[in-house]
Amino acid sequence: MPGSLVLMGSGETSPTMVEVHRTVARGLRAGARAVLLDTPYAFQENAADISARARRYFARSVGLEVEVAAGVTGADWVFSGPGSPTYALDRWAASGVAGDLRARVRARQGVTVLASAAACTAGLATVPVYEIYKVGAEPHWREGVDLLAPLGLRAVLIPHFDNAEGGTHDTRYCYLGERRLSRMERELPPETAVLGLDEHTALIIDLESEAVEVAGRGGLTVRRPGAVSVLPAGTRTSLAAVRGLAEGAVPGTVAPPGPAVVAAEPAVTLEETIRSCEELFKDAVGRPDMVAAAQLVLDLEAEIVKWAADTEEDSGGVEQARELLRLLIARLGEAAATANLRTLAEPLLDLRAELRRAGRYEVADALRKAMARGGVIVEDTPAGPRWSPASS
């Protein structure tokens, strides 16, 4: 079996990480056992729903049938992701899973994929992000699972490194911000580096060849007192070179070039799609080109379906996209009051038919009501839907 350790900054069950998952799963034998460790979020009331969405994602997007399990014994592929790092640490330490994960890496066997909260535990110390950011605890570290020690890395791993959700306050570095991270770095054991992994970004380590790749949208930051090095997405290097950076080597020693293993073009995030769709929709309605506007609504609906399996809940991206979808549908209906009705109504009926075929009856009904407010009455008949001006 190929041995790989994959750490992800976020987006672990989103379209942005599909190619990474496919790449590392490609070498699995037929009938390989794939396990989802649900421990980091097992305390949540919606834990079963998160697991179901993750299993659908891996089945449909990666081709892996995944089982939810409490342990990793006998697993060829292991995944764990969102939730609370400290909740996972406590239970993995008590159950022996922490030791089993270290043994997998030490033996250079199996594929181990840790993302978001689970990735937080991969170093010698862990950021207790819930306790600090959401509860107000004093900045501190918790002992980590330390999967990096068998690889010769004395480091902590911080996902969500480039997070920008705070807007007016600093939420970089897994919601710590610069002030708290700087304080916490001084409390680390001597010669410990910080490995910062950006959102929608993966660090892929081939445990046999010790080849390293950074894939996705951001980069890997290696941070030491007085020195910061960034390996952008697309970097192909060696574990020895990363160790050198973590130990204070000159940044220029890092990067023997090599062919990318993961597709070089990273996927667009849902947040970027939302912004782009809203701007393009405004432009289409302003021209006016209602066919293009209706197609943008369909495109947004398709993106919502693609991202429905995403288990990252803090960003609220899918709900934001749904809100925009409802808003754009309402704007299409309002445009009926000023646009040529035939130019508007026919593409809207096509849009409604697409929504109904996709089973999105609630959205299709919302579109029908919006059209009525804009002066277009839609009637479903045995021969198909037909429309007429509200005044006739």
Side-chain angles (χ1 to χ4, degrees):
M1 287 296 300
S4 299
L5 175 63
V6 182
L7 303 170
M8 295 181 172
S10 81
E12 56 271 14
T13 52
S14 78
T16 60
M17 290 289 101
V18 166
E19 288 304 320
V20 173
H21 286 301
R22 288 175 179 170
T23 297
V24 298
R26 198 167 289 139
L28 294 174
R29 60 179 173 81
R33 182 173 179 237
V35 162
L36 163 63
L37 286 176
D38 66 349
T39 319
Y41 59 84
F43 64 95
Q44 297 181 204
E45 291 294 324
N46 64 339
D49 177 60
I50 295 174
S51 294
R53 279 186 282 150
R55 293 185 69 212
R56 285 195 298 271
Y57 171 86
F58 288 115
R60 295 174 182 175
S61 300
V62 187
L64 274 179
E65 294 299 328
V66 176
E67 63 178 277
V68 179
V72 302
T73 303
D76 301 301
W77 178 95
V78 172
F79 168 82
S80 193
S84 165
T86 49
Y87 186 87
L89 282 172
D90 290 341
R91 276 133 194 91
W92 286 344
S95 65
V97 169
D100 292 340
L101 289 170
R102 282 192 297 271
R104 288 171 65 85
V105 175
R106 190 178 299 113
R108 305 295 203 264
Q109 292 180 348
V111 175
T112 304
V113 184
L114 301 184
S116 299
C120 249
T121 71
L124 64 84
T126 295
V127 175
V129 58
Y130 276 18
E131 291 81 350
I132 296 173
Y133 184 63
K134 295 188 175 183
V135 182
E138 283 295 303
H140 64 287
W141 297 98
R142 284 282 306 274
E143 184 178 355
V145 175
D146 206 1
L147 303 186
L148 302 178
L151 306 180
L153 282 169
R154 187 175 179 82
V156 299
L157 194 289
I158 301 183
H160 297 279
F161 204 68
D162 62 343
N163 182 273
E165 291 174 30
T168 58
H169 66 282
D170 189 0
T171 54
R172 293 172 299 166
Y173 319 140
C174 201
Y175 308 95
L176 291 175
E178 177 64 40
R179 179 182 63 82
R180 284 184 292 206
L181 177 59
S182 295
R183 171 179 167 181
M184 291 173 66
E185 282 176 313
R186 294 192 290 271
E187 299 172 1
L188 287 170
E191 306 304 318
T192 300
V194 169
L195 303 184
L197 201 50
D198 288 345
E199 297 184 326
H200 301 282
T201 304
L203 173 65
I204 307 167
I205 304 172
D206 185 310
L207 297 176
E208 183 176 356
S209 68
E210 295 202 345
V212 170
E213 180 170 4
V214 181
R217 298 187 51 82
L220 171 72
T221 298
V222 183
R223 176 166 159 150
R224 291 173 49 84
V228 176
S229 302
V230 179
L231 308 183
T235 297
R236 287 274 292 160
T237 187
S238 66
L239 187 57
V242 177
R243 279 196 294 262
L245 286 179
E247 293 166 1
V250 179
T253 64
V254 170
V261 174
V262 178
E265 288 295 325
V268 175
T269 66
L270 185 55
E271 289 76 11
E272 289 169 337
T273 297
I274 290 170
R275 290 195 297 270
S276 174
C277 186
E278 189 165 20
E279 290 302 314
L280 291 171
F281 182 89
K282 289 178 183 177
D283 180 66
V285 171
R287 289 199 296 269
D289 184 345
M290 292 308 168
V291 173
Q295 184 59 52
L296 284 163
V297 174
L298 282 176
D299 292 344
L300 181 58
E301 168 69 15
E303 284 297 306
I304 291 172
V305 172
K306 283 171 58 180
W307 284 80
D310 188 16
T311 55
E312 282 282 354
E313 298 177 319
D314 288 341
S315 66
V318 172
E319 185 53 39
Q320 184 182 352
R322 290 193 180 111
E323 291 172 358
L324 177 61
L325 182 68
R326 291 190 287 268
L327 177 61
L328 297 189
I329 288 172
R331 287 177 179 172
L332 282 173
E334 292 165 1
T338 56
N340 177 285
L341 286 185
R342 181 173 298 278
T343 302
L344 174 65
E346 292 180 355
L348 290 184
L349 285 180
D350 291 340
L351 169 60
R352 183 170 176 264
E354 286 283 343
L355 292 170
R356 288 169 65 85
R357 279 193 291 271
R360 297 286 290 161
Y361 298 108
E362 180 184 351
V363 179
D365 288 343
L367 175 58
R368 179 179 182 175
K369 292 175 183 177
M371 293 173 70
R373 288 196 299 272
V376 178
I377 303 302
V378 176
E379 180 184 3
D380 290 312
T381 73
R386 66 185 184 192
W387 67 274
S388 59
S391 58
S392 65

